[in-house]
């Protein structure tokens, strides 16, 4: 049985369950710990933490930052963030402003090709969370411009398509240092999306570790067994922590279950204990949410 899920999303970004509903779903799945890691926001942490205390589930406050990377895509998770990370929040507010401008560009691009999508419609879908490309995809499907989410991204929302607008991002070093300033444990999410050869992956991880990276999401929904083994061995070689996450988004990523991913994940709570031990050695406390 899976015991943890350290990579999940709620309606605070682009998931379909509220933070409290996400915690309740984790309890129903009999998980021992869950991390809420919404994209570029911590707005859902107080609700998730309160639900965790009420339902008896260990909730780890976190977020997911997209960072610059030339080849594929690189995302970094910050775990054990405080509910109100003041230093991080200033940067998240800046990123939010950039995201708003990008969304307006995507709307304009789609409108120019006859796709009638408005900001008001997007805001209705998000129910108070931040607007992201999955919300555009949902509207494209609803309005008949795409058959499903994959079709919407492939033909309208990925780089090189009619609706796409680039996203400004932090550098990996900036993001890691920002998260470390909040005493977070920093994890490289889904390393498969880096799209690197094995020797290139090791070189990148060595560089990220020099910046302060703590670990790698070894156990992930889209990793093959060969990839999981490779990343686990690399963590042992480089003395990095191993993490596990499904990247759960609810109905926005159907077929991905909490803790289980596509069905093959069985992450142990032992991974969390090792992270806590590493934090203790560094003199880092656990925020009250935990």
């Amino acid at each position: 049985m899976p015991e943890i899920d350290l990579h999940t999303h709620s309606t605070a970004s682009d998931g379909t369950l509220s933070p409290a509903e996400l915690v309740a779903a984790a309890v129903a799945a009999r998980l021992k710990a869950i991390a809420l890691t919404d994209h570029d926001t911590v707005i859902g942490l107080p609700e998730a933490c309160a639900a965790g205390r009420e339902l008896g589930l260990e909730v780890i406050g976190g977020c997911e930052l997209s960072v610059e990377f030339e080849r594929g895509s690189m995302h970094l998770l910050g775990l054990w963030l405080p509910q109100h990370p003041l230093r991080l929040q200033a940067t998240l507010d800046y990123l939010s402003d950039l995201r708003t401008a990008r969304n307006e560009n995507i709307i304009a691009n789609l409108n120019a090709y006859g796709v009638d999508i408005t900001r008001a419609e997007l805001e209705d879908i998000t129910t108070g969370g931040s607007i992201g490309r999955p919300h555009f995809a949902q509207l494209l499907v609803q309005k008949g411009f795409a058959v499903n989410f994959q079709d919407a991204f492939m033909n309208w929302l990925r780089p090189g398509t009619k609706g796409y607008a680039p996203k400004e991002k932090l550098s990996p070093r900036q993001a890691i240092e920002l998260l470390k300033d909040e005493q977070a444990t920093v994890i490289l999410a889904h390393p498969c999306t880096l799209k690197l050869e094995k020797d290139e992956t090791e070189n990148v991880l060595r560089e990220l570790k020099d910046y302060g990276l703590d670990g790698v999401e070894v156990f992930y929904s889209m990793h093959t067994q060969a990839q999981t083994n490779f990343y686990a061995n690399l963590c042992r070689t480089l003395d990095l922590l191993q993490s596990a996450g499904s990247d759960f988004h609810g109905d926005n990523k159907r077929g991905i279950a909490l803790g289980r991913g596509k069905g093959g994940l069985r992450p142990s709570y032992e991974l969390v204990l090792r992270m806590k031990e590493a934090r203790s050695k560094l003199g880092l406390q656990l925020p009250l949410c935990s």
Side-chain angles (χ1 to χ4, degrees), residues 192-288:
C192 62
T193 64
L194 298 179
K195 300 189 182 302
L196 298 175
E197 299 297 330
K198 289 184 177 181
D199 58 337
E200 294 175 313
T201 301
E202 180 171 350
N203 291 336
V204 167
L205 288 184
R206 288 185 183 276
E207 182 178 10
L208 295 178
K209 184 179 179 182
D210 287 342
Y211 299 154
L213 182 75
D214 296 296
V216 176
E217 193 172 59
V218 170
F219 306 96
Y220 179 68
S221 296
M222 304 305 294
H223 285 172
T224 65
Q225 188 59 55
Q227 287 174 318
T228 298
N229 294 341
F230 170 68
Y231 299 131
N233 288 332
L234 205 50
C235 283
R236 286 188 283 269
T237 298
L238 301 180
D239 192 25
L240 289 167
L241 296 165
Q242 298 184 38
S243 188
S246 67
D247 203 2
F248 177 81
H249 284 69
D251 289 341
N252 282 345
K253 278 194 177 181
R254 294 184 179 180
I256 302 294
L258 274 173
R260 294 176 173 81
K262 288 196 168 185
L265 295 182
R266 298 290 187 274
S268 167
Y269 187 77
E270 180 66 27
L271 298 179
V272 171
L273 293 178
R274 291 173 188 168
M275 291 183 189
K276 289 182 176 181
E277 181 181 1
R279 290 181 61 84
S280 178
K281 289 180 179 178
L282 294 173
L284 302 178
Q285 301 298 314
L286 297 176
L288 292 178

Side-chain angles (χ1 to χ4, degrees), residues 47-105:
E47 180 182 331
C49 289
R53 288 191 293 271
E54 179 182 350
L55 298 178
L57 179 72
E58 180 176 353
V59 175
I60 298 167
C63 73
E64 181 175 11
L65 300 179
S66 302
V67 299
E68 294 174 354
F69 192 67
E70 291 182 359
R71 291 279 290 275
S73 64
M74 181 183 292
H75 292 186
L76 295 166
L77 304 174
L79 303 180
W80 283 287
L81 288 170
Q83 292 185 50
H84 304 286
L86 299 181
R87 288 166 289 187
L88 175 62
Q89 188 62 59
T91 299
L92 294 180
D93 290 342
Y94 168 70
L95 293 174
S96 178
D97 291 340
L98 294 179
R99 184 167 57 249
T100 298
R102 182 204 194 195
N103 289 336
E104 293 299 332
N105 289 334

Side-chain angles (χ1 to χ4, degrees), residues 10 23 33 48 104 125 130-131 148 177-178 218:
S10 75
V23 172
E104 293 299 332
I125 290 176
S130 59
I131 297 172
N148 51 37
E177 291 179 349
L178 181 64
V218 170

Side-chain angles (χ1 to χ4, degrees), residues 149-209:
F149 268 52
Q150 182 179 5
D151 181 39
F153 271 87
M154 290 297 294
N155 292 302
W156 292 102
L157 299 171
R158 67 182 176 90
T161 58
K162 298 173 182 178
Y164 181 76
K167 178 180 180 179
E168 293 191 45
K169 304 174 184 178
L170 302 172
S171 71
R173 183 168 192 162
Q174 286 175 319
I176 290 173
E177 291 179 349
L178 181 64
L179 293 171
K180 298 296 279 190
D181 281 345
E182 295 289 355
Q183 299 190 339
T185 295
V186 183
I187 303 295
L188 173 66
H190 40 65
C192 62
T193 64
L194 298 179
K195 300 189 182 302
L196 298 175
E197 299 297 330
K198 289 184 177 181
D199 58 337
E200 294 175 313
T201 301
E202 180 171 350
N203 291 336
V204 167
L205 288 184
R206 288 185 183 276
E207 182 178 10
L208 295 178
K209 184 179 179 182

Side-chain angles (χ1 to χ4, degrees), residues 90-130:
T91 299
L92 294 180
D93 290 342
Y94 168 70
L95 293 174
S96 178
D97 291 340
L98 294 179
R99 184 167 57 249
T100 298
R102 182 204 194 195
N103 289 336
E104 293 299 332
N105 289 334
I106 295 176
I107 291 171
N109 291 343
L110 292 172
N111 290 167
Y113 284 95
V115 180
D116 182 19
I117 282 180
T118 68
R119 181 175 180 83
E121 290 175 314
L122 291 164
E123 289 174 344
D124 286 343
I125 290 176
T126 62
T127 62
S130 59

